[in-house]
Amino acid sequence: MNKELIINAAPQGVEIALLEDKKLVELHHEKADGSFAVGDLYLGKVKKLIPGLNAAFVDVGFEKDAFLHYTDLSPYARSLLKFTQQSINDTSEPGFDFGTFVVEPEIIKTGKINEVLSGKPNILVQILKEPIAAKGPRLSCEISLPGRFVVITPFNDIVAVSRKIHSADERKRLQKIVEAIKPKNFGVIVRTAAEGKNTAELHEDLSMLVETWKTIQHNLKGSVAPAKILSEQTKTTSILRDLLNEDFNRIVVNDRNLFNDTRSYIQRIAPEKAEIVTYYNNGLPIFDQFGITKQVKAAFGKTVNLPSGAYLIIEHTEALHVIDVNSGYKSVGNNQELNALETNLEAAAEIARQLRLRDLGGIIVVDFIDMKLPENKRKLLDAMEEFMKSDRAKHAVLPISKFGIMQITRQRMKPEMNINTQEVCPTCAGTGKISSTLLLEDEIEKNLSYLITHQHKDLALVVHPIMYAYLTKGKWFNSKQWKWRFKYGRKVKMKENTNYHLTEYHFFDKHDEEIKL
């Protein structure tokens, strides 16, 4: 599979499109003033404890207080509170040695929030979910710093290896390497991308993350809540960190500074891939050049058409997303069961893509075309699970119910991507009605009279082809064009333009420059 990352830098922010075999599968938008992104670290001030919810509201500088539930407190929450206070009050130049930090006992899973956060202290928190609708950010105290091959978690000494690495020998090898190079007071999770990597590569990745933790420690020194302590890497670098593999064959950027940043980042994490980054400045907008704009227009909206003639209806309610699969004019053969299976399999591939593309989260209910045979329902379930494998968000797919309904849950980390693909009609301005051509004719004549009165010569009138046919129809002495010539004693050239809407017209002078009325 060929993967391409197309990056469009604009004044209002950066748009990032991920293409798989030329097909758009993910679209990310990073605002220029983006804050409270997933992974950001803040020094927050506990404002209110809610024992009934077993949660706290924390001020991190957002207009609404952020939400911190007891289940999102780390088992090492007391150690985190101690570390936060110690770092704020630390006056030494290099900062205290985290390796000598004494870890506090773990909190119990069934404890109470007011037992841990009594006194409403300042605490280091990480954004778990971005602000969505009327809700503030959701927080976590389980601090984790992701690298390309490993993730570090402070205050514990656990080493875990991704279960997606299927070889038991490889998992043991990675475990031994990490246990040998791991600093004290850090837990390490070995990511799937670490498979086959040597000690030097893992050590370099781990060292970079430990340096990041030292930066957090330094930034906490003397801080006053609420304050941002560390930003997650930009969307571009975080996507590259998580997705960059041998399948990637091109990264195209249309901004020189962003191109340099991206290239230097890749040279640091994967020097052999540095050549895949290219700078684009060919005049045509980058998303138009790579066919992304057209795909966005086709993929977003209530109705999504499939190549075979089948189509999806995607609707959003307060509680869930509903997707209806319709066969349209698709016909594979006379076998109704086979038709239903073929349509459902095609729809499943597009639904998996739509979930990633729109970043739909929560409960998704899919009404597939009814199938009677249990083996066909099983085939559809297996296919959907396979299509969803490339989705980085946590998800679960349930078997099809007896009503032909499939339920999917998908992790929601940020607001749903919603792009309006409809445009207001330039002719009727959304009213559904246009002025009569008879009145339009009078309007054109009035403007023509005004221009001739003000000594404009060699005029050309450009109109829509239908309006052109109306104004030039009939014999020469009956057409509007000739009537105007006799009336005003001036010849008016008529031209047609298929790009104009029905009632659009413009006057041009002899230099082909438009005359503004």
Side-chain angles (χ1 to χ4, degrees):
M1 182 186 293
N2 287 331
K3 288 185 182 179
E4 297 172 288
L5 208 63
I6 313 300
I7 304 169
N8 177 34
Q12 64 272 25
V14 177
E15 288 179 301
I16 304 160
L18 176 62
L19 305 181
E20 290 181 356
D21 294 332
K22 303 293 181 185
K23 197 165 189 178
L24 180 66
V25 292
E26 287 186 28
L27 190 63
H28 301 271
H29 187 244
E30 184 179 14
K31 293 180 182 175
D33 60 343
S35 54
F36 303 101
V38 173
D40 285 354
L41 287 163
Y42 282 82
L43 176 63
K45 170 71 176 172
V46 177
K47 296 296 288 289
K48 189 185 287 186
L49 298 173
I50 315 290
L53 294 175
N54 205 13
F57 284 101
V58 182
D59 179 14
V60 290
F62 188 64
E63 57 195 52
K64 292 195 173 182
D65 287 341
F67 185 76
L68 176 62
H69 194 269
Y70 187 86
T71 53
D72 293 319
L73 284 177
S74 164
Y76 306 96
R78 288 197 174 92
S79 298
L80 182 63
L81 285 165
K82 178 181 171 183
F83 169 79
T84 305
Q85 203 55 46
Q86 198 169 324
S87 298
I88 292 171
N89 298 331
D90 186 19
T91 54
S92 62
E93 186 56 40
F96 67 89
D97 180 8
F98 185 67
T100 62
F101 181 83
V102 179
V103 176
E104 296 293 308
E106 295 182 25
I107 63 171
I108 58 172
K109 288 183 179 179
T110 54
K112 302 294 181 185
I113 194 87
N114 47 358
E115 294 170 357
V116 181
L117 299 180
S118 59
K120 300 179 181 177
N122 293 337
I123 187 168
L124 182 67
V125 289
Q126 193 164 26
I127 305 293
L128 189 63
K129 288 186 181 179
E130 294 177 17
I132 297 173
K135 299 175 183 176
R138 182 157 182 175
L139 306 177
S140 171
C141 287
E142 294 202 60
I143 308 296
S144 62
L145 301 177
R148 192 175 175 212
F149 305 128
V150 298
V151 178
I152 66 166
T153 55
F155 311 114
N156 68 68
D157 282 303
I158 298 164
V159 174
V161 182
S162 169
R163 290 181 183 175
K164 289 182 181 177
I165 299 175
H166 300 298
S167 167
D169 290 339
E170 177 63 6
R171 290 218 304 274
K172 283 178 186 173
R173 183 186 76 87
L174 291 169
Q175 178 120 11
K176 283 181 180 176
I177 291 172
V178 172
E179 282 174 349
I181 61 176
K182 183 185 75 65
K184 194 171 183 300
N185 284 339
F186 285 108
V188 179
I189 301 164
V190 182
R191 305 182 72 170
T192 313
E195 189 170 7
K197 301 302 174 187
N198 58 38
T199 307
E201 290 172 298
L202 296 172
H203 186 263
E204 184 182 0
D205 200 38
L206 184 59
S207 299
M208 284 169 59
L209 295 176
V210 171
E211 284 303 314
T212 304
W213 182 251
K214 287 179 181 175
T215 303
I216 292 167
Q217 196 175 321
H218 179 268
N219 292 347
L220 276 170
K221 197 181 292 186
S223 293
V224 178
K228 182 186 274 195
I229 299 302
L230 190 80
S231 288
E232 162 70 327
Q233 292 171 307
T234 63
K235 280 261 173 46
T236 310
T237 52
S238 62
I239 288 171
L240 287 173
R241 178 192 67 208
D242 293 341
L243 294 181
L244 190 67
N245 58 26
E246 60 278 359
D247 292 339
F248 253 92
N249 65 344
R250 184 155 63 159
I251 299 168
V252 188
V253 192
N254 68 341
D255 178 82
R256 180 62 72 178
N257 291 332
L258 198 54
F259 164 75
N260 292 332
D261 291 347
T262 306
R263 191 178 172 88
S264 62
Y265 177 76
I266 290 194
Q267 278 176 332
R268 193 167 78 247
I269 67 165
E272 73 284 358
K273 287 275 182 184
E275 295 307 312
I276 68 174
V277 188
T278 56
Y279 175 61
Y280 175 88
N281 63 342
N282 290 355
L284 194 69
I286 189 169
F287 273 15
D288 292 355
Q289 175 70 29
F290 290 92
I292 295 164
T293 306
K294 188 175 181 181
Q295 289 195 56
V296 167
K297 291 287 184 185
F300 286 85
K302 183 178 174 181
T303 304
V304 178
N305 294 307
L306 304 178
S308 67
Y311 61 95
L312 309 175
I313 303 290
I314 302 176
E315 296 198 270
H316 171 64
T317 71
E318 192 64 31
L320 43 77
H321 299 276
V322 182
I323 302 176
D324 186 31
V325 179
N326 295 278
S327 58
Y329 58 80
K330 175 182 172 69
S331 179
V332 179
N334 296 325
N335 186 326
Q336 187 178 350
E337 183 77 7
L338 181 61
N339 282 352
L341 178 61
E342 291 284 339
T343 304
N344 286 340
L345 289 173
E346 182 188 26
E350 182 60 27
I351 288 166
R353 172 179 171 246
Q354 287 289 331
L355 298 186
R356 288 175 71 189
L357 192 54
R358 300 182 187 218
D359 207 6
L360 301 184
I363 300 171
I364 299 106
V365 174
V366 186
D367 181 12
F368 283 106
I369 298 168
D370 287 343
M371 297 182 295
K372 292 182 173 58
L373 299 178
E375 61 264 31
N376 286 341
K377 292 181 180 180
R378 183 74 226 176
K379 278 181 189 175
L380 180 57
L381 176 63
D382 292 343
M384 179 56 87
E385 288 175 340
E386 185 63 33
F387 293 139
M388 294 284 287
K389 270 186 179 176
S390 55
D391 194 339
R392 288 178 291 146
K394 290 178 184 174
H395 58 268
V397 182
L398 296 184
I400 296 171
S401 71
K402 64 180 179 180
F403 300 121
I405 302 293
M406 178 182 283
Q407 297 172 69
I408 302 170
T409 60
R410 187 174 182 275
Q411 184 183 29
R412 185 178 178 183
M413 302 294 286
K414 60 180 183 176
E416 170 193 341
M417 176 79 71
N418 193 12
I419 296 174
N420 186 13
T421 60
Q422 295 180 325
E423 298 171 1
V424 175
C425 170
T427 306
C428 71
T431 62
K433 297 176 182 178
I434 63 171
S435 58
S436 165
T437 50
L438 293 173
L439 297 179
L440 182 65
E441 174 196 326
D442 291 343
E443 185 185 323
I444 292 173
E445 186 173 347
K446 184 178 74 174
N447 286 323
L448 177 64
S449 173
Y450 171 82
L451 293 173
I452 290 173
T453 305
H454 286 75
Q455 306 303 313
H456 283 278
K457 297 178 182 179
D458 298 322
L459 290 170
L461 173 63
V462 184
V463 291
H464 185 274
I466 293 175
M467 198 63 197
Y468 175 84
Y470 173 76
L471 294 174
T472 58
K473 72 176 181 178
K475 295 192 176 181
W476 65 272
F477 50 85
N478 277 333
S479 70
K480 291 293 175 187
Q481 184 181 14
W482 279 93
K483 283 183 178 178
W484 289 342
R485 180 170 184 175
F486 287 132
K487 184 174 181 178
Y488 298 108
R490 297 273 175 85
K491 183 180 178 182
V492 180
K493 291 179 187 173
M494 288 277 188
K495 295 180 182 178
E496 55 187 326
N497 189 327
T498 54
N499 292 324
Y500 283 18
H501 58 78
L502 183 59
T503 58
E504 184 179 2
Y505 66 91
H506 297 283
F507 286 100
F508 292 84
D509 62 19
K510 60 183 177 182
H511 303 296
D512 274 340
E513 291 183 5
E514 185 185 341
I515 301 169
K516 299 290 183 184
L517 292 165

